Every structure is written in C-alpha cells, then in structure tokens.
Amino acid sequence: MDRFSSTTLLPDAFSSTRDDLTEQLTIIWEQIKAPLIVPLLRIAVFVCLLMSILLFIERVYMGIVITLVKFFGRKPEKRYKWESLKDDIELGNSSYPMVLVQIPMFNEKEVYQLSIGAACGLSWPTDRIIVQVLDDSTDPIIKNLVSMECQRWASKGINIKYETRDNRNGYKAGALKEGLKHQYVKQCDYVAIFDADFQPEPDFLWRSIPFLVHNPELGLVQARWKFVNADECLMTRMQEMSLDYHFTVEQEVGSSTYAFFGFNGTAGVWRIAAIEEAGGWKDRTTVEDMDLAVRASLKGWKFLYLSALKVKNELPSTLKAYRYQQHRWSCGPANLFKKMFMEIIRNRKVSSWKKIHVIYSFFFVRKVVSHIVTFVFYCVVLPATVLVSEVEVPKWGAVYIPSIITLLNAVGTPRSLHLIIFWILFENVMSLHRTKATFIGLLEAGRVNEWIVTEKLGDFFKLKSAIKAFKKPRFRLGDRLHLLELATGAYLFFCGCYDIAFGKNHYFLYLFIQAFAFFIMGFGYVGTFVPNS
C-alpha cells in the first residue's frame, strides 16, 4: 500500500511543479508586459507603419510616373538623338567607334561556351571590336577549356583576348579594372560588359552604341534582362516577378525622370571616358556596378535604359545559390549607402533634387526600408500584437497598404498574377535574409564583403529533371536545414495557436500559412514543382 502511494504521488508532484513554473512565468510576463513590452511594441508598430507609408508613397509615385511614360510614349528615340551608323566610303570601317566587349568569369564550366559564342557573334565590323575574356578561374581544367575556346574563335578571325590574373583581388571589380589597363584598350571608346551566363543578340551593339555616339552626355546604356529559365520551377517564377518590377518600373522611371539608375553589372555599354572620370572600378563593396554608377552620376553623366533591348540570361535555380545572390544584392547597397552618404551630400555637380532622389528614393527606401519593413513588420511585429492585446495595428496598415504595394509590385509580370499568394510568401521568407544582409552592410559586420559566384547551369537545366531521376538524393544537414527560417516559422506558428486560443486579432490563418512557408524553405523544399503558365 505504501509502495502504491509513493508511485502515484510522483506524477502529481511533476504536475504540481509544471503548474508552478507556468504560473511563475505568467506572473513575470504580466509584470513586464505593461511597463516594458507594450510601450516597446507600440514604438515598433509606429516605426513600421511609418516605413510602410514611405514605401507606399514610393510605389504609388513610381506607378504614376511609369503610367505617364507609357501613356505619352516617351521612348528613348524621342528623348535622345538616335541615328543608325552608316558606312563612310572615304574612312571605311574607321568611321565606326572601337568597342571592347568584356566577359568576366570564374569557373564557369557550364556557360563559358554560350557567353563567348554570343559575344563573338555580335554583328560589328570585325576590325572595330575586341572581345576580352577575363578568366579568374582557379580550376586548371576549366581554365584550359576557356583558353581553347578563345583560340577556336581566334582561328575564325575574331579579335579575342584571353586574360588571366594570378590572384582574385577585388573579384569581378578587380578583373574589370585590370582588363581596362591593357594597352590595346586605349584605342577603344566604349566597353560592353556581359556576365558569363548572358547571351546578347547579334544586333546588340547596333541598337545601343548609336545612343552613345550621338549623345555625348550619356555615360551608360543599360539593356533589360530576359530570363531563359523562368519556367523551370516555382522559385524561378517568383524571381522573375521580383526582377520584372525592377526592370519594368524602377529602371524605366530612373531613366525617364532623373537619367540615373543603378547599373545592373551586365548587359550594358559604358563610355570608357565616363568610367575613368568616375574613378574607375572599386572593390570596396560587393556591388561594384552600383558603386560606379553612383560615382559617374555624381560627375554629371546621364544613363539610358532600353527596355526593348533584351539580353538572355539565367536565374539561380537552387535555393542555396539564390540566398548567396540575395545576400550580396542586399548587403552591398546598404554598405555602399553608408560609405557614400556624405560624398553625395557634398557633391556640387548635380542638382539638389537628384541628390535627394539618390539618397532617399534609390538608397533609403528601396535598398533599406523595403527589406526591413517586409520582415520586421509582417513577420515579427504584426504577429507579436497577437500576444499583446493592448497593441493593435490599424487595418489600413495591416491590410490595405500591403495589398496595394503587392499589386503594384506584381504588375510587372501579368502572366504570373495567379501566383501572387506564393510570391508574397516567398518574398516574406527571403526578406529575413535581405534584412539580415542589410544590417550587416550598414554595420559593416561579418559577411559584409563576402563574394560567392552565383551557380549557373547553362543548357544543363534542360536536362536537370532527367538527371535527377537517375541520381539518389543526398541529405546534407547544412544544405537542407535553415535554422533561421525554422525558428521564424516556429514563432509564427506559436502566435497563430495563441491567436486561436486567446487572441482577438484573427490573424491566425495568415500566421499559419506564413509559418508553413518558412518551414518549407527551412527544410529546403522550395522550387520543387513547375507552375502552369
């Protein structure tokens, strides 16, 4: 009887201890909630609402401008002088400007033939063009393959130069800078830059160079990207939606109103004099292209964006590659903003209006606010209001403004509007990494100068599905499990459960769906199916 009593009392003891712990935690929570948690959360809500309004105004403004641009037909040919270049009987081919084509690459086994072939296939007088392959490859086999490919094109009469370095100092910026130092470049007027996965059409130079020839104030002509693998999987479709807005709206508005936008690092033609006057390529951040564009703009050079001129390229088709790319694209601009803020303020060559545009619109709202508000507001603060009923978010801030911003962002890709819910969830998850990268850039911490070349597959992605059928999947903990996503997903799931049990905000459906998205990407399963077109 005594033995029976002792065993039955043990569970009661554990239960009593658990209840006491829960009660103590509840008391502590109630004691700190009113004086500390509630005021801090109200401040966070106010700041997030303010950032949402700034982003909303920016998106509406750009929507109005792009509508007016399309309505009044302000095509590049109407804003700048454009005449096709013609043969001169007396001067011959010397009447055409000398053009340098640079192709920076690093261990690009899958795409080196595509990029070199496309560059060598450009239609331009053969004695007025130099193709320069800047190979930083560390793999001797790939290096040899690229060298042989250059020799093959040289044997066909193409003026192609194969240049290598004994180091990777400055990464892409360092390679481009070294490339311009060669003696034969002195005779060139313009330089066209194409990353290793970009394939320009043969008439690319005929459509872009005349703008630079006839408009001496232009320093850059930027073409639009055309994605060859956008339909490969759901993840590439989501990327297409985000980038289409950038090219359809942001670049077009910048070109039409301020004659300034960020150089995309590829598929563009620079006036070499503009690069030199701006101080050349610098490797102080991971966005050397944006750095050069801002400095050239501050020297008074204008930029032109040609939306009708498209260059084929490839989107990252793995989550790992996309995460690395987004880290660089988010960290770099924030770091550059910090480094150039005072330089922009002190500049005397451009108008105050243009400086305000660069600081406020180009950098602060698009490169800082847009990332932070997406994650902090919708994935941290808004769910936290479920736990603290004393703090509420007005419906216009929680529903109306985000809905309008989302629709304005998605308008660039009409064919994918039926995927808008997936896009919202995907962007919210990726905002976690963009926000982290933004703070790393602003604080110059940790991985601020990390540069990992985005994996490219070239024509290989067409055979990817077939190859997967013969390849056993290998589970690698570091590659498949992403703890930040899983932790955020757990937080959202907890808030959703709390909302059902005790809350009154009725956000539980949003919280559960968003938590599911974080879990899916946390386990590395994004992009595993192809959506219907």
Side-chain angles (χ1 to χ4, degrees):
M1 187 70 179
D2 292 339
R3 185 181 301 173
F4 176 77
S5 299
S6 62
T7 55
T8 56
L9 286 175
L10 282 174
D12 292 336
F14 281 119
S15 177
S16 176
T17 303
R18 184 183 60 193
D19 291 341
D20 290 342
L21 180 61
T22 302
E23 185 177 350
Q24 289 177 3
L25 290 176
T26 302
I27 293 173
I28 294 173
W29 169 253
E30 292 298 331
Q31 287 179 341
I32 67 172
K33 185 170 72 169
L36 182 62
I37 303 299
V38 172
L40 289 178
L41 189 56
R42 282 176 176 161
I43 293 172
V45 168
F46 173 79
V47 172
C48 288
L49 288 175
L50 180 60
M51 290 192 292
S52 295
I53 293 172
L54 295 178
L55 186 60
F56 172 75
I57 294 173
E58 175 72 9
R59 291 292 188 266
V60 171
Y61 163 73
M62 288 197 291
I64 293 173
V65 172
I66 196 65
T67 301
L68 294 175
V69 169
K70 299 296 184 183
F71 182 78
F72 289 106
R74 285 177 54 83
K75 295 182 179 180
E77 295 81 0
K78 293 184 178 181
R79 291 184 285 122
Y80 294 95
K81 183 179 179 181
W82 190 92
E83 292 179 6
S84 60
L85 302 179
K86 299 177 182 179
D87 294 334
D88 190 301
I89 298 176
E90 295 182 359
L91 297 175
N93 286 345
S94 62
S95 62
Y96 293 95
M98 196 75 179
V99 180
L100 175 70
V101 179
Q102 288 186 316
I103 310 174
M105 57 176 58
F106 174 74
N107 293 337
E108 308 286 2
K109 182 179 180 180
E110 305 296 343
V111 295
Y112 74 92
Q113 287 181 308
L114 294 174
S115 58
I116 295 175
C120 293
L122 288 169
S123 175
W124 197 255
T126 54
D127 60 338
R128 306 300 292 171
I129 184 173
I130 302 174
V131 177
Q132 187 186 64
V133 178
L134 304 169
D135 188 13
D136 275 358
S137 298
T138 53
D139 188 323
I141 296 176
I142 298 177
K143 217 167 190 176
N144 185 54
L145 290 173
V146 176
S147 177
M148 290 175 60
E149 183 70 9
C150 292
Q151 293 174 19
R152 187 173 74 85
W153 282 103
S155 67
K156 295 182 178 182
I158 300 298
N159 188 0
I160 185 170
K161 308 291 185 181
Y162 177 67
E163 306 291 354
T164 61
R165 300 188 295 165
D166 57 4
N167 60 71
R168 288 194 69 211
N169 293 341
Y171 302 108
K172 180 181 174 181
L176 294 171
K177 185 176 182 178
E178 288 297 318
L180 292 178
K181 291 181 179 180
H182 294 282
Q183 190 62 37
Y184 58 81
V185 176
K186 304 300 180 184
Q187 59 185 311
C188 297
D189 304 296
Y190 310 108
V191 54
I193 302 171
F194 301 102
D195 280 353
D197 59 318
F198 278 72
Q199 305 164 54
E201 297 296 331
D203 64 347
F204 179 88
L205 296 178
W206 291 109
R207 296 174 64 182
S208 56
I209 294 294
F211 282 106
L212 293 164
V213 171
H214 298 305
N215 302 276
E217 73 276 19
L218 283 179
L220 165 68
V221 172
Q222 172 73 58
R224 180 171 177 166
W225 297 2
K226 180 181 179 181
F227 312 112
V228 297
N229 64 332
D231 292 327
E232 181 187 354
C233 63
L234 182 62
M235 190 182 74
T236 53
R237 282 289 283 272
M238 301 300 98
Q239 294 177 61
E240 181 192 39
M241 292 179 71
S242 299
L243 287 170
D244 274 352
Y245 176 82
H246 169 70
F247 286 107
T248 303
V249 180
E250 290 181 344
Q251 297 294 74
E252 191 73 75
V253 169
S255 177
S256 301
T257 55
Y258 309 98
F260 166 76
F261 49 82
F263 174 45
N264 294 123
T266 178
V269 186
W270 276 94
R271 189 186 301 273
I272 293 180
I275 296 178
E276 293 174 346
E277 186 180 353
W281 294 100
K282 293 185 178 181
D283 59 359
R284 54 183 174 174
T285 69
T286 57
V287 283
E288 74 294 323
D289 43 12
M290 187 181 296
D291 190 344
L292 177 62
V294 174
R295 285 184 284 112
S297 177
L298 294 179
K299 292 292 183 180
W301 291 99
K302 294 182 179 180
F303 304 158
L304 175 63
Y305 171 67
L306 299 178
S307 60
L309 182 58
K310 300 178 181 180
V311 181
K312 293 187 292 185
N313 73 295
E314 179 185 330
L315 292 164
S317 56
T318 66
L319 179 59
K320 182 179 180 180
Y322 185 60
R323 280 160 57 104
Y324 282 132
Q325 182 200 70
Q326 292 303 296
H327 173 85
R328 189 172 74 247
W329 286 7
S330 302
C331 178
N335 189 224
L336 182 64
F337 179 42
K338 177 182 179 180
K339 292 179 183 296
M340 292 203 69
F341 181 80
M342 292 308 300
E343 184 178 342
I344 297 170
I345 292 292
R346 297 191 191 104
N347 183 271
R348 302 296 182 188
K349 285 193 174 183
V350 299
S351 66
S352 298
W353 181 245
K354 189 170 185 177
K355 287 192 285 187
I356 292 172
H357 166 70
V358 174
I359 292 175
Y360 171 76
S361 179
F362 181 75
F363 273 119
F364 182 65
V365 176
R366 294 188 218 168
K367 312 302 182 185
V368 178
V369 168
S370 61
H371 300 326
I372 294 175
V373 73
T374 303
F375 176 70
V376 174
F377 189 26
Y378 304 120
C379 301
V380 178
V381 174
L382 191 63
T385 61
V386 171
L387 307 177
V388 184
S389 58
E390 292 86 347
V391 181
E392 293 186 4
V393 178
K395 185 171 287 188
W396 59 264
V399 179
Y400 300 142
I401 283 183
S403 299
I404 296 173
I405 291 175
T406 299
L407 291 174
L408 290 174
N409 281 341
V411 74
T413 316
R415 78 186 188 101
S416 298
L417 282 176
H418 63 292
L419 299 172
I420 195 168
I421 299 299
F422 294 100
W423 180 76
I424 293 171
L425 299 174
F426 179 76
E427 284 293 294
N428 282 356
V429 176
M430 288 309 303
S431 70
L432 164 63
H433 299 284
R434 294 181 184 130
T435 299
K436 182 180 73 171
T438 298
F439 281 115
I440 289 175
L442 291 173
L443 300 174
E444 294 193 90
R447 298 162 55 197
V448 65
N449 289 317
E450 179 186 68
W451 181 286
I452 297 178
V453 176
T454 305
E455 177 189 16
K456 307 173 187 72
L457 300 176
D459 288 334
F460 177 71
F461 75 84
K462 298 176 182 178
L463 306 173
K464 200 174 175 185
S465 299
I467 292 174
K468 280 182 178 179
F470 297 96
K471 187 177 179 181
K472 291 184 179 180
R474 296 173 62 188
F475 182 81
R476 294 182 180 179
L477 190 64
D479 292 341
R480 292 296 298 273
L481 286 183
H482 307 295
L483 298 181
L484 285 177
E485 283 96 331
L486 294 175
T488 306
Y491 165 71
L492 290 166
F493 183 78
F494 172 77
C495 292
C497 293
Y498 189 92
D499 195 22
I500 289 178
F502 309 105
K504 58 180 181 179
N505 294 322
H506 308 297
Y507 293 144
F508 61 88
L509 184 60
Y510 160 77
L511 295 171
F512 284 145
I513 294 174
Q514 189 63 71
F516 180 71
F518 271 95
F519 285 139
I520 287 291
M521 293 186 70
F523 285 110
Y525 288 113
V526 67
T528 55
F529 68 92
V530 180
N532 294 325
S533 298

